Amino acid sequence: MHASLGWIGIVRLGLVQTALGSIVVLTTATLNRVMVVELALAATIPGALVGLHYAVQILRPVWGHRSDHGNRRTPWIIGGIATLGLGGALAALSVALMADRFALGMALAVAAFLLVGVGVGAAGTSLLALLASAVAPARRPAAATIVWLMMILGMAVTAVLAGGFLDPYSPLRLVAVTGGVAGLAFMLACAALWRVESRLARPVLAAEPAAPGFRVSLADAWADPQARLFTIFVFVSMLAYSAQDLILEPFAGLVFGMTPGETTKLAGVQHGGVFLGMVFTGIAGTLLSRRHPGVLRIFTVAGCFGSALMIGGLVLAAAAPQGWPLVGNVVALGVANGVFAVAAIGSMMALAGTAGPRRSGMRMGLWGAAQAIAFGLGGLAGTVAVDLLRLVTDDPASAYGAVFALEGVAFLAAAVIALRLAGARPSASPAMVPAE
């Protein structure tokens, strides 16, 4: 029996993140664009639906707490992926129904996006908690980078390939592509998780007191100054990121005249930029971390500032779209997002890992809830602001440009908070014994 998760096990868990990302990218990006452009619905409608799926994830601390005190985290992950896949398929079906039977389509969409939120929250929280508690301290930064890169790769590849299959667009084609992706993702996750956790060693916890209740665990996590400050950073940075996430594809379609397939591919190249930013930061951070312990904080701040700068480029693109290198701008934005994301993930893994196996799930849940709330508010606020400004200005480009400007300010605020984050040093892992 292995004392901790090896590199092959880390990659296998990364494949689970790949599966998760492949479904999410279609439900939060492609379906959003189809509702706004092809169905000519107000941007607030998909914004509210995506916000609903994030609102459910406020329960992430509960799921994390339960997985902390259960025997295994794998059932939570598998159940979450299955729920996510079902929600994604039903979401595509609901969009197809909206064209002819709007009320029925909306009712189904509400249920579908609730399932998506439950699936992402249950699977994602338990997977990250498993990584934080089962990976040796020296491997945690690299493990976080590998797993997140594989998720972004899944998003990028799915967006590009699905974009090709979606053209020429039809509702039936949308349902078929989304359902196919969901089914393949579920099978990939099941294969990747097969016997991974059963081969792990479990920490000796007999000398520890009985597991505390949910409220005690939550209060304990919030009382940690670094965990609390990191929660605030996650909220602000994700608020900035999510506000552009839901309006970028409609912006490209309305202002630059891109087709559904082209805007889906645009989302793919953005995720490709995120992938490049993560690779760069992972390699550079590993090489520099021994001599410069605070390098992750530097990369986090630089990534936030870079994201603000690239968002500023989208503001200029809205003012003068003719000849603007939109694809290059979006790729550069993705790179900056990837730089701050992987640096923050490295810190997150270290903070959760040092808390111990019975606390890591709660901390992952707390940060996941902060991210979910920020994504829900950011996505909804961004779409509502665009709709309101379009009513006032009657100019889509100006409306989108104004919202992008506000997002840039939020990224600058996140950079200021990141300056206060101190690097966390992992503590020694508890003694390990083979699992039965």
Side-chain angles (χ1 to χ4, degrees):
M1 295 293 181
H2 297 288
S4 62
L5 200 64
W7 293 115
I8 294 178
I10 291 171
V11 172
R12 289 177 66 178
L13 293 187
L15 289 173
V16 180
Q17 284 283 64
T18 299
L20 191 151
S22 67
I23 303 174
V24 169
V25 72
L26 293 181
T27 57
T28 61
T30 303
L31 297 185
N32 162 64
R33 180 249 146 81
V34 170
M35 282 187 271
V36 173
V37 179
E38 274 63 41
L39 300 183
L41 300 177
T44 302
I45 292 177
L49 289 171
V50 174
L52 181 64
H53 114 271
Y54 283 118
V56 178
Q57 295 181 55
I58 197 173
L59 296 175
R60 273 180 179 256
V62 177
W63 297 322
H65 175 72
R66 290 181 178 177
S67 70
D68 277 343
H69 304 302
N71 292 325
R72 301 180 67 213
R73 300 190 196 269
T74 299
W76 288 90
I77 302 172
I78 289 292
I81 292 290
T83 304
L84 171 61
L86 176 61
L90 291 178
L93 179 60
S94 72
V95 172
L97 289 174
M98 286 181 189
D100 299 319
R101 305 179 67 180
F102 180 77
L104 178 60
M106 276 301 302
L108 182 59
V110 169
F113 276 86
L114 283 173
L115 289 175
V116 169
V118 171
V120 171
T125 302
S126 300
L127 179 65
L128 292 176
L130 177 59
L131 274 169
S133 59
V135 175
R139 292 181 176 179
R140 282 173 188 152
T145 302
I146 291 171
V147 169
W148 235 258
L149 285 176
M150 293 181 71
M151 183 184 72
I152 298 302
L153 180 62
M155 288 182 169
V157 171
T158 300
V160 172
L161 293 180
F165 284 115
L166 283 173
D167 284 336
Y169 170 77
S170 71
L172 181 60
R173 187 182 291 264
L174 176 67
V175 174
V177 170
T178 306
V181 169
L184 290 173
F186 178 73
M187 289 188 290
L188 175 63
C190 290
L193 284 167
W194 176 253
R195 299 187 67 184
V196 168
E197 192 175 12
S198 64
R199 295 176 180 177
L200 288 174
R202 290 199 295 264
V204 177
L205 299 173
E208 294 189 1
F214 173 77
R215 292 185 179 181
V216 174
S217 296
L218 181 61
D220 172 70
W222 191 250
D224 182 347
Q226 285 299 302
R228 184 170 61 249
L229 185 60
F230 192 80
T231 303
I232 297 172
F233 166 76
V234 168
F235 178 81
V236 176
S237 61
M238 291 299 102
L239 187 70
Y241 178 81
S242 63
Q244 59 88 19
D245 193 39
L246 286 183
I247 65 176
L248 182 58
E249 284 199 57
F251 167 72
L254 292 172
V255 178
F256 286 82
M258 289 185 170
T259 67
E262 289 173 337
T263 58
T264 301
K265 291 178 181 178
L266 183 66
V269 299
Q270 181 186 14
H271 291 304
V274 173
F275 183 87
L276 292 176
M278 286 186 164
V279 169
F280 168 77
T281 306
I283 295 174
T286 301
L287 295 176
L288 297 174
S289 59
R290 291 185 179 181
R291 293 185 178 181
H292 306 282
V295 69
L296 287 180
R297 181 172 59 173
I298 295 174
F299 278 125
T300 302
V301 174
C304 289
F305 274 122
S307 297
L309 181 62
M310 291 305 104
I311 288 289
L314 294 180
V315 175
L316 296 178
Q322 295 79 11
W324 187 266
L326 180 64
V327 174
N329 193 156
V330 170
V331 171
L333 175 61
V335 171
N337 289 163
V339 169
F340 95 78
V342 79
I345 292 163
S347 299
M348 176 183 68
M349 293 291 293
L351 287 170
T354 56
R358 285 194 172 180
R359 294 178 175 179
S360 58
M362 171 57 75
R363 278 161 172 73
M364 288 298 181
L366 179 62
W367 298 326
Q371 174 185 330
I373 295 170
F375 262 82
L377 290 176
L380 181 60
T383 53
V384 169
V386 165
D387 285 340
L388 292 177
L389 289 171
R390 287 184 65 179
L391 290 175
V392 174
T393 64
D394 197 27
D395 179 15
S398 297
Y400 280 101
V403 176
F404 284 138
L406 293 175
E407 295 164 15
V409 173
F411 267 121
L412 292 176
V416 172
I417 298 172
L419 284 170
R420 299 179 56 193
L421 286 170
R425 295 183 179 180
S427 60
S429 296
M432 307 295 287
V433 297
E436 295 180 357

